[in-house]
Amino acid sequence: MLMATSVPRVCPVLFSLILLCSAAYATHTVFSQVENNYPIVVSTWPFKEAVRAAWNAVQNGLSSVDAVVEGCSACEDLGCDGTVGPGGSPDENGETTLDAMVMNGVTMEVGAVASMQFVKGAIRAAKLVSEYTQHTLLVGNRASTFALSMGLPGPTNLSSPESLEKWAKWKQNNCEPNFRKNVIPVNGCGPYRPVIGVSDLQKNYYACDNKETIDRGSILANANTGSEHISRHNHDTISMAVIDKLGHIAVGTSTNGATFKIPGRVGDGPIAGSSAYADQEAGACGATGDGDVMMRFLPCYQVVESMRQGMTPKDAAVDAISRIKRKYPDFVGALFALNVQGVHSGACHGWTFQYSVRSEGMEDVEVYTVHPEDN
């Protein structure tokens, strides 16, 4: 009887212990199947030197934010594709201005500068904004003044012989192509007057003043909102994401904007959620292309939120691009997605996109190619 009554008391305890051990083993097994592929550096385009600079920074123990700054700075110094850093992409006045942004995916802090003049180190200026102000974005001459006051070298002329020659040829071509729409130029290069509210008499006056005939077809040609003159070499950004040895994630961008942009234009480069976004809980994204269209959709914010909801990087990237092309079927753009485990993918529309990756196990930077039909 003693044995009979003692068994029910002992067995539940043993049974519970067995269940606990089994659950612990099962949990360990599940987590062991998730292999984290970091540190890792991902960048738009085959900007290999930029990725190497960021990778070396990570390997030397720098944080993801500092690695992003080192990588983008390398691209600024090299003038990647003529679209990053000083010496490229003149605006309508022939001036080169810079945009940049850096975002810490752990703290969600963002620092950015836009339409910045006279200071070469745009990404470093952006980091200074995040470190020494409670603001997110500084613009124009005031951004330059801040950057200089924080110790960055300058002031310096951001134009180059190449950018000024490009601008001179553009002027000779009656300032075409440009980003104006629904306007009439007084002469080939402006000033411009809105089509709406301009009488036929005034149209004739502007035409005579220019000693040319301006017909309605040429006027409406300026209204085209497509991306037919957008290419990697005149409308591009380096967008970079880094996960460091601690698993901390950050992103950054740098660009000198669209070639022959209207002075004062700010594209998607310094806008968090558009050109790049990072959140330690979900992942990161970097984008490039027609920023004036893409920034209306905050595609990188969308990518990160989609991954948060369980989408793979591939599906998240394709979904974000699809949202834009449904509204703007002629837009040109691309992005990469990177989750917190270091899994990456890309999607594009209107052009073939390449992005660069360096992670453990790679001997050097590897370039991945994404075609529009892959979406």
Side-chain angles (χ1 to χ4, degrees):
M1 294 294 293
L2 288 174
M3 289 182 64
T5 55
S6 63
V7 170
R9 293 176 183 176
V10 175
C11 285
V13 175
L14 289 173
F15 185 70
S16 298
L17 285 172
I18 291 169
L19 279 177
L20 243 105
C21 291
S22 299
Y25 178 77
T27 302
H28 174 73
T29 303
V30 170
F31 280 112
S32 68
Q33 291 174 352
V34 179
E35 184 176 351
N36 292 322
N37 181 33
Y38 58 76
I40 186 171
V41 179
V42 184
S43 169
T44 52
W45 303 117
F47 296 151
K48 292 184 177 181
E49 290 303 320
V51 174
R52 289 181 185 125
W55 179 254
N56 290 337
V58 166
Q59 292 299 95
N60 289 329
L62 270 65
S63 70
S64 55
V65 170
D66 288 329
V68 163
V69 170
E70 291 304 311
C72 291
S73 292
C75 221
E76 291 173 350
D77 293 339
L78 291 168
C80 289
D81 281 347
T83 61
V84 179
S89 298
D91 64 17
E92 285 188 344
N93 292 334
E95 184 178 14
T96 296
T97 56
L98 306 179
D99 301 341
M101 183 270 288
V102 63
M103 181 174 187
N104 185 328
V106 178
T107 65
M108 307 306 287
E109 290 174 296
V110 176
V113 293
S115 198
M116 188 175 70
Q117 304 163 295
F118 311 125
V119 178
K120 291 182 177 181
I123 191 70
R124 297 191 188 280
K127 183 170 181 279
L128 290 171
V129 172
S130 69
E131 287 181 322
Y132 298 110
T133 82
Q134 296 182 41
H135 301 312
T136 293
L137 173 64
L138 298 181
V139 302
N141 285 335
R142 301 304 185 184
S144 308
T145 300
F146 170 79
L148 294 170
S149 73
M150 291 292 102
L152 290 187
T156 185
N157 185 358
L158 300 183
S159 297
S160 67
E162 292 78 16
S163 69
L164 293 176
E165 181 182 3
K166 182 184 293 185
W167 177 67
K169 290 181 178 178
W170 178 74
K171 294 279 285 186
Q172 292 171 6
N173 194 44
N174 290 322
C175 297
E176 292 286 350
N178 61 57
F179 291 93
R180 306 279 178 168
K181 67 176 184 179
N182 301 324
V183 295
I184 301 171
V186 171
N187 57 54
C189 290
Y192 298 90
R193 301 288 186 269
V195 171
I196 300 173
V198 177
S199 69
D200 290 336
L201 181 62
Q202 288 173 307
K203 292 175 186 177
N204 292 333
Y205 172 79
Y206 296 142
C208 292
D209 185 63
N210 191 32
K211 304 298 188 293
E212 293 178 358
T213 300
I214 301 178
D215 60 26
R216 183 136 185 100
S218 64
I219 294 167
L220 293 181
N222 286 322
N224 195 327
T225 58
S227 301
E228 70 283 347
H229 58 280
I230 305 300
S231 76
R232 172 181 160 187
H233 299 284
N234 68 11
H235 210 93
D236 193 25
T237 306
I238 179 173
S239 186
M240 177 178 285
V242 174
I243 305 179
D244 61 25
K245 291 182 176 181
L246 298 177
H248 296 164
I249 196 165
V251 292
T253 65
S254 184
T255 180
N256 51 39
T259 305
F260 311 131
K261 61 183 176 285
I262 298 170
R265 178 259 190 184
V266 175
D268 68 329
I271 307 302
S274 186
S275 67
Y277 196 75
D279 189 332
Q280 187 66 33
E281 297 177 357
C285 166
T288 182
D290 187 349
D292 289 294
V293 170
M294 297 179 76
M295 68 194 299
R296 301 167 191 174
F297 295 82
L298 295 180
C300 276
Y301 177 80
Q302 182 64 52
V303 164
V304 173
E305 287 305 300
S306 294
M307 291 192 295
R308 189 194 307 278
Q309 298 302 319
M311 277 193 187
T312 66
K314 176 65 177 176
D315 289 343
V318 170
D319 175 70
I321 289 293
S322 297
R323 291 168 183 258
I324 306 174
K325 73 180 184 181
R326 281 199 296 268
K327 299 284 188 178
Y328 293 90
D330 296 327
F331 100 98
V332 175
L335 53 80
F336 67 78
L338 173 70
N339 69 16
V340 291
Q341 284 79 40
V343 179
H344 55 84
S345 190
C348 62
H349 182 71
W351 58 7
T352 295
F353 174 55
Q354 292 182 304
Y355 67 96
S356 304
V357 180
R358 179 70 200 270
S359 64
E360 294 287 359
M362 293 182 179
E363 294 184 2
D364 198 2
V365 180
E366 295 184 6
V367 177
Y368 293 77
T369 300
V370 181
H371 300 280
E373 56 268 25
D374 296 337
N375 295 346

